[in-house]
Amino acid sequence: MPGATRSRPHRRDIQGLRAVAVGLVVLDHAGWLPGGFLGVDVFFVLSGFLITGLLLAELERSGTISLRDFYARRARRILPAATLVALATLLGSVLVLGDVRTAEVTRDVVLVALFAINWDLAAQGADYFAQGADQSPFQHYWSLAVEEQFYLGWPLLVLGAALLATRLRGRGVRRSPALGLLVTAVVAISLAWSVSLTASTPEAAYFTTTTRVWELAAGAGLALLVPRLAALPAGLRTAAGWVGLAGLGLSLWVIDDTSAFPGVVALLPVGATCLLVAAGTPGSEAGPGRFAAGRLLGVAPLQWLGDRSYSLYLWHWPVLVLAEARLGREPTLLELVGAIGLAVLATMLTHTLVEVPFHTGRLRPARLVALAWWPASVAVLVTSVVVVGVNGPDLDQESEYFARVERAERASGKDFPTATRQPRRDLREAVERADEPVADELEPPLSELRGDTFHRTVDNRCYARSSDQTSHDVCTVGAHDGQDLDDVVVIGDSHAGMFLPAFDQIGQARGWRVHHLVKTGCTLADSPSLSREDCTQWREWAFDEVDDLAPDVVVMSTMAQDDFGEQWVAGMRRSAERLQASGADVVVLGETPWLDREEDLVACLDTEGATPADCEMSLDPEVTRILEAQEELSDELGLGFVNPLPWLCREERCPTVVDDQVVYYFRGHLTVTFVHRLARALNQKLRTELDRIARS
């Protein structure tokens, strides 16, 4: 985040680096530069360097650090623009996103005010690299939260280390080595934790302060070394600058959204930025050398953009997200340029009318007033959320929806209380009525759609979802009582998991004790080239569990969208043969269509005047090819095969709403509500396939 206070003397190379950093982030979020997210890491190093330089200068000048002055400076620099953009973004959300999406993002406003949104994103396992209108327009505040949390504690640590060194001066302890030891400890501990958490839970590692603080501390370490860096030969510093610039370019080339980031990979952009900062350290010579990289970074356009980098960082993301939501599709190149132009215009106004006046100009508040900015900002933002909430949907009432549905299902006493008897007829009617307005009351309500997943019906200990899990408790659904139960195993990824609510009802109706072995995000295809190591280990564990359970039936299901090809088919053949070796009858539950709409489904259905036809999707030909390959493999090995496509698509049209029930919640994943609707049809098809296997 470019919210650091400028040090003295003014470093044109650092302003240039700020411009480069914000430019990279904007290009990344526009979809034009996959590695541009590394601009945030550049900001972290710069902020650590600049803030620590200010602290060291105050220590040198007065022998102490005024915490009140420090926090007042931060408040003047950060809060006016951050509060303004948050309020504007909330207003834009109300106008563009609709009631449901606005209600979902209002809680983010409170987290922004408290500088805690990064921890919430980490807890959610949010995907930073996902793009589109379904992303929170406040998500980019995560890096500002990281920096402000760092600034909350860093002056205390620096002051504490300095005072301790002063007290122990008689024992030979000096201030600089003490501070160096502090920086080294923070870098070492945080980097080690970053590497560890990135390997196990990369989504959380991306956002957490503890995995990022080493980058700011690396900049702090440079601030400690300024006197020594200034004494280095000018030629050496010039060489370091170009090596750093090349390293930053290399980072953009080799690091993208598939990299295990931050972790050890972050050493490359952080190290490159450190070299650039070190290279620009003023020595005895006047200004950067003729061939120094600092001259390139000091050009006027980069200086202009660097001065406004903070405001541009704040504005660009909500403008892009809300623009895509307003369009209802992915923006064209011209529309993206227009959106970025709008963000630049807002940046210029904010810089001129808010940033400069409150930071150093005529509106600069006194220290006590500045210190009151944060609670005032929190109060303003929380009040705005309350006002929006009063006029929005009653989410607390709707949160009882699933509990009410489950009570009604249990009270019915029926085997398949909400299942349809004629899914194909329902599908035909949905296509025929697709031009009628979306019903006012959908099942589930749109405010609950993202929660209508199998995860709410299955205990977390009963399936694996993170890369450090290679096993889990073997749990059951369906029938639990009686001596003559058949043992059934459902095995696969989240596609297998999403059908568990149906298997629960099928098991109760047929006397099946259904054991489930599920690891989300891991293909069931036995192909090392398609699997992470943890997926391979989990799959071998699951196969061994099947052998131990000795089930009567195994149902295997896995998503093929990202992996389909000859290797996937060969891997599925090996897995099927491995499961057949257990002595069970094996049934393949086939691929479902993919919800690959450019527009978020909730936003589409929540649009005033929308029809189901506006929000439906076309059948991807790849889905048909996958189903054909699954059927051919089933015929070859004597497996059962369930093709769900006739229940979901008609004449290549795949409705997202059938009989006022929402079909999907994410990609090719069906809602629990709709899976319950298909339970009877799935039961009948399984009966047919198992009878066919028995006759063969």
Side-chain angles (χ1 to χ4, degrees), residues 51-61 65 158 175 179 220 223-225:
I51 290 298
T52 305
L54 287 173
L55 295 174
L56 293 176
E58 186 174 359
L59 269 176
E60 191 69 28
R61 184 175 61 252
I65 295 172
V158 171
R175 179 190 296 167
L179 293 174
L224 285 171
L225 295 174

Side-chain angles (χ1 to χ4, degrees), residues 293-374:
R295 281 195 173 275
L296 180 62
L297 294 170
V299 297
L302 291 183
Q303 296 302 296
W304 184 91
L305 184 56
D307 288 340
R308 293 156 182 79
S309 57
Y310 177 47
S311 287
L312 181 56
Y313 183 88
L314 290 175
W315 278 112
H316 84 282
W317 177 250
V319 169
L320 288 173
V321 170
L322 295 177
E324 183 165 341
R326 180 66 181 86
L327 291 168
R329 54 174 171 76
E330 187 174 336
T332 64
L333 175 61
L334 185 60
E335 289 165 342
L336 274 174
V337 171
I340 293 173
L342 180 61
V344 171
L345 177 61
T347 292
M348 294 167 62
L349 292 172
T350 304
H351 178 74
T352 302
L353 301 178
V354 179
E355 264 198 275
V356 174
F358 279 97
H359 185 210
T360 58
R362 58 187 175 83
L363 297 179
R364 183 177 186 269
R367 184 174 66 184
L368 289 178
V369 175
L371 290 173
W373 258 98
W374 187 28

Side-chain angles (χ1 to χ4, degrees), residues 222-255:
L222 282 175
L224 285 171
L225 295 174
V226 163
R228 297 188 180 186
L229 294 172
L232 292 174
L236 183 58
R237 280 185 278 120
T238 296
W242 288 109
V243 171
L245 203 58
L248 193 57
L250 179 63
S251 301
L252 297 171
W253 180 263
V254 301
I255 300 174

Side-chain angles (χ1 to χ4, degrees), residues 16 55 92 147 200 249 266-267 276-277 378 380-381 392 493 596 638 653 678:
L55 295 174
E147 288 198 0
S200 62
L267 283 168
L276 281 164
V277 173
V378 172
V380 168
L381 292 175
D493 58 11
D596 56 356
R653 293 179 63 181
L678 298 180

Side-chain angles (χ1 to χ4, degrees), residues 54-283:
L54 287 173
L55 295 174
L56 293 176
E58 186 174 359
L59 269 176
E60 191 69 28
R61 184 175 61 252
S62 64
T64 187
I65 295 172
S66 172
L67 297 177
R68 286 181 297 179
D69 285 346
F70 176 82
Y71 294 128
R73 289 195 300 268
R74 297 305 305 158
R76 296 185 192 106
R77 179 68 179 97
I78 291 295
L79 291 176
T83 305
L84 171 68
V85 175
L87 286 171
T89 302
L90 179 60
L91 177 60
S93 299
V94 171
L95 296 175
V96 173
L97 296 183
D99 288 345
V100 174
R101 285 284 286 121
T102 299
E104 290 176 349
V105 303
T106 49
R107 66 187 301 271
D108 290 346
V109 181
V110 178
L111 293 167
V112 163
L114 297 173
F115 295 113
I117 192 171
N118 65 312
W119 290 104
D120 184 67
L121 292 168
Q124 292 178 31
D127 182 4
Y128 172 83
F129 301 105
Q131 301 287 337
D134 59 336
Q135 300 300 301
S136 170
F138 298 97
Q139 178 174 290
H140 65 311
Y141 275 87
W142 76 270
S143 60
L144 184 60
V146 169
E147 288 198 0
E148 296 313 303
Q149 291 162 33
F150 173 76
Y151 297 145
L152 187 64
W154 187 243
L156 296 172
L157 291 175
V158 171
L159 180 59
L163 292 177
L164 182 62
T166 300
R167 293 193 63 177
L168 299 177
R169 185 181 303 166
R171 302 181 185 180
V173 177
R174 292 182 298 158
R175 179 190 296 167
S176 292
L179 293 174
L181 183 61
L182 170 65
V183 168
T184 302
V186 172
V187 170
I189 294 171
S190 174
L191 177 58
W193 176 237
S194 178
V195 172
S196 174
L197 193 62
T198 300
S200 62
T201 316
E203 295 84 3
Y206 194 91
F207 293 107
T208 56
T209 306
T210 50
T211 60
R212 293 294 197 153
V213 73
W214 72 270
E215 301 182 35
L216 290 114
L222 282 175
L224 285 171
L225 295 174
V226 163
R228 297 188 180 186
L229 294 172
L232 292 174
L236 183 58
R237 280 185 278 120
T238 296
W242 288 109
V243 171
L245 203 58
L248 193 57
L250 179 63
S251 301
L252 297 171
W253 180 263
V254 301
I255 300 174
D256 57 24
D257 57 6
T258 65
S259 305
F261 199 88
V264 70
V265 180
L267 283 168
L268 183 55
V270 170
T273 305
C274 287
L275 283 174
L276 281 164
V277 173
T281 302

Side-chain angles (χ1 to χ4, degrees), residues 479-502:
H480 297 282
D481 301 319
Q483 300 298 316
D484 298 323
L485 300 179
D486 290 329
D487 284 297
V488 176
V489 169
V490 175
I491 183 172
D493 58 11
S494 57
H495 267 225
M498 76 180 179
F499 281 104
L500 288 178

